[in-house]
Amino acid sequence: MSRFEEVTDRTGTRSVKWDRSKLLFTGEDILPMWVADMDFKSPQPVLDAISERAQHGIFGYTLPDDEVHTTIQNWLNRRHGWDIDTEWISYSPGVVPSLYMMIQAFTEENDGVLIQTPVYAPFFDVIKRHNRKLVTNELKRNDTSYEIDFEDFEEKIVSNDVKAFILCNPHNPVGRVWTEEELQRMADICLKHDVVIFSDEIHADIILPGHKHVPIATLSDRINKQTITCLSPTKTFNLAGLQASYIVTADAEKKKQLDEQFKNNGMGMLNIFGLTALEAAYQHGEAWLEELNETLESHRDYVTERFHKELEGVTVIRQEGTYLMWIDFSGTGLSHQKLKDYMETEARVGLNDGKWFGEGGEGFLRMNLACPRKTLEDGVERIVQAFKRL
Ligand SMILES: Cc1ncc(COP(=O)(O)O)c(C=O)c1O
């Protein structure tokens, strides 16, 4: 049996997805397909490295060393053709905490910060919680995909005196892996108006066959110096509970400012197990990752085909990256609230509410495909049977 077919019971592990679903959904028999973590075990070398480290028995203060920096450098080079200097790396417990530090370090109260909606909800929080001005460039729906409204992108920057842009690449939830041309146009506009780019590339490794992730910082030296990129092995290898991520900042002055901000907030260490897992995953996890991306491609195709064939008024947005599927239920005729209720009470599947992602999320739900095929088929069957009865 493939490691991606193995069903592991996650209940009773304090899992947000499996044990906390009751906070969000009512009913006993809800199949959770929401939070962005996977129901797959991490690669065996990662499990071995963590066990070995645990057996050592002493868990004192620990810092990443040259071997860890070089492991990251090699990973970015091999997987994304990005040649970084190890001096550019900073460590952080997570991408969300990094975004908080970045907003604090590089913007002031009431400064405009641009995001592209619908988008991962903590992007809204980081702006609002710091009293920055939320500026949105809504993505344009184009049949079963999305594209960028560049005129609006620039107009919003100019008219709101935007200081920072939080890019999501690949994009959660619309599943786009932005092309080099799209990234170049956004970067050129940011350079023109001196907007610093916070590039959240946490989904960079989850790229479905036929697409290529381009780190925006690789486009030119000037763009590299205008960009701060957040990356992590936690989405890629299902390590979210271990909390380990890093930031790449090529501009020495910006790097210093960011590191100071971490210090000012009393942060700077990485969890031992996070560090151990990061290293093992990047050194020995590549074959697992290739198999994961192929599995996700087949899951995407399976769900798309069944929904499009068997359900009226349901449109699956074409997913190029991430393991998250953005689904348009607006053609079913249900109001957003009725759609959510129906999914919960009739289909008994727990999906993310499209409105959580802001403008453009009405009538949508997001489905997590990173589960064994058996679980996926159960979820699809529940949805198909329920929506056929509509
Ligand atoms: C775009 C994006 N950024 C950040 C995160 C969370 O990052 P972290 O767990 O490292 O804080 C997620 C998780 O779903 C995400 O989708």
Side-chain angles (χ1 to χ4, degrees):
M1 186 200 282
S2 149
R3 49 196 147 191
F4 296 106
E5 283 169 28
E6 185 187 344
V7 177
T8 306
D9 183 5
R10 295 182 64 192
T11 56
T13 63
R14 303 196 174 100
S15 149
V16 173
K17 191 194 280 173
W18 288 87
D19 293 321
R20 294 300 183 99
S21 277
K22 289 183 193 78
L23 295 178
L24 232 80
F25 311 107
T26 41
E28 280 306 306
D29 182 30
I30 300 277
L31 180 66
M33 303 183 89
W34 58 298
V35 176
D37 67 19
M38 309 198 248
D39 295 331
F40 302 131
K41 283 186 185 164
S42 297
Q44 192 59 43
V46 174
L47 309 185
D48 294 343
I50 290 173
S51 304
E52 198 182 309
R53 187 63 190 82
Q55 286 311 312
H56 180 264
I58 298 175
F59 311 113
Y61 296 117
T62 305
L63 284 174
D65 59 5
D66 282 347
E67 200 179 339
V68 180
H69 309 326
T70 310
T71 298
I72 291 174
Q73 184 184 45
N74 290 341
W75 178 263
L76 294 180
N77 202 332
R78 262 199 332 274
R79 298 295 304 184
H80 304 298
W82 189 8
D83 188 16
I84 68 156
D85 192 311
T86 55
E87 299 278 300
W88 301 350
I89 304 172
S90 311
Y91 293 88
S92 163
V95 170
V96 171
S98 302
L99 292 173
Y100 276 67
M101 297 301 125
M102 283 146 70
I103 287 279
Q104 289 170 18
F106 302 106
T107 65
E108 307 279 341
E109 282 216 359
N110 302 317
D111 277 354
V113 180
L114 183 75
I115 57 175
Q116 295 176 304
T117 57
V119 76
Y120 182 57
F123 284 15
F124 295 87
D125 298 336
V126 68
I127 298 169
K128 289 186 188 157
R129 282 174 185 272
H130 290 95
N131 297 322
R132 274 41 169 181
K133 184 177 176 196
L134 174 69
V135 184
T136 57
N137 166 233
E138 192 174 338
L139 295 170
K140 277 197 303 194
R141 170 81 174 271
N142 176 6
D143 191 17
T144 55
S145 189
Y146 282 82
E147 55 191 32
I148 295 161
D149 181 343
F150 290 100
E151 281 72 43
D152 181 69
F153 184 87
E154 183 159 17
E155 197 278 313
K156 291 282 174 61
I157 286 176
V158 173
S159 61
N160 296 284
D161 193 19
V162 162
K163 296 287 189 272
F165 163 46
I166 312 180
L167 169 68
C168 192
N169 184 32
H171 190 94
N172 171 15
V174 310
R176 283 295 319 277
V177 175
W178 302 116
T179 62
E180 192 168 332
E181 291 69 32
E182 289 169 316
L183 294 167
Q184 185 74 52
R185 278 185 79 177
M186 288 191 278
D188 287 344
I189 296 170
C190 288
L191 282 178
K192 186 168 149 198
H193 302 287
D194 197 21
V195 173
V196 58
I197 303 168
F198 302 154
S199 190
D200 178 340
E201 301 188 16
I202 195 169
H203 295 278
D205 301 311
I206 319 272
I207 304 295
L208 303 187
H211 301 278
K212 184 177 165 8
H213 175 72
V214 178
I216 193 165
T218 58
L219 295 179
S220 75
D221 191 44
R222 272 189 75 205
I223 297 168
N224 194 18
K225 296 220 162 92
Q226 190 74 3
T227 303
I228 302 167
T229 307
C230 296
L231 293 144
S232 170
T234 53
K235 284 277 168 267
T236 316
F237 295 103
N238 205 21
L239 307 168
L242 291 179
Q243 301 185 313
S245 79
Y246 56 95
I247 307 164
V248 179
T249 317
D251 181 88
E253 195 46 47
K254 288 193 180 72
K255 166 89 165 50
K256 204 168 129 202
Q257 240 175 296
L258 183 62
D259 289 348
E260 277 301 307
Q261 199 62 43
F262 271 90
K263 282 192 194 139
N264 290 343
N265 283 277
M267 289 163 72
M269 294 241 166
L270 267 199
N271 176 302
I272 288 179
F273 293 107
L275 196 58
T276 305
L278 179 154
E279 187 175 30
Y282 277 1
Q283 289 183 358
H284 309 290
E286 233 159 331
W288 182 97
L289 174 59
E290 296 297 343
E291 202 179 324
L292 170 73
N293 283 335
E294 280 164 25
T295 303
L296 293 172
E297 181 191 35
S298 86
H299 285 192
R300 176 199 64 189
D301 294 346
Y302 167 74
V303 180
T304 307
E305 198 185 318
R306 285 212 56 190
F307 282 2
H308 283 175
K309 222 184 230 168
E310 297 177 57
L311 297 179
E312 251 177 70
V314 176
T315 307
V316 172
I317 299 303
R318 183 153 180 87
Q319 184 191 336
E320 301 172 348
T322 82
Y323 47 74
L324 307 163
M325 181 177 267
W326 187 234
I327 309 171
D328 180 0
F329 288 89
S330 59
T332 57
L334 294 173
S335 69
H336 190 79
Q337 189 57 47
K338 287 227 167 83
L339 163 67
K340 275 178 38 176
D341 292 345
Y342 196 78
M343 186 59 75
E344 203 171 312
T345 55
E346 294 297 318
R348 291 170 295 107
V349 180
L351 303 184
N352 281 94
D353 180 351
K355 279 192 177 172
W356 191 68
F357 304 88
E359 283 166 326
E362 176 129 10
F364 284 78
L365 298 172
R366 192 194 72 177
M367 184 173 184
N368 184 338
L369 308 186
C371 56
R373 183 67 172 230
K374 200 160 166 276
T375 312
L376 185 78
E377 288 178 2
D378 180 13
V380 168
E381 198 56 38
R382 289 176 186 220
I383 294 170
V384 166
Q385 291 316 326
F387 281 80
K388 270 188 176 168
R389 288 199 302 273
L390 250 188

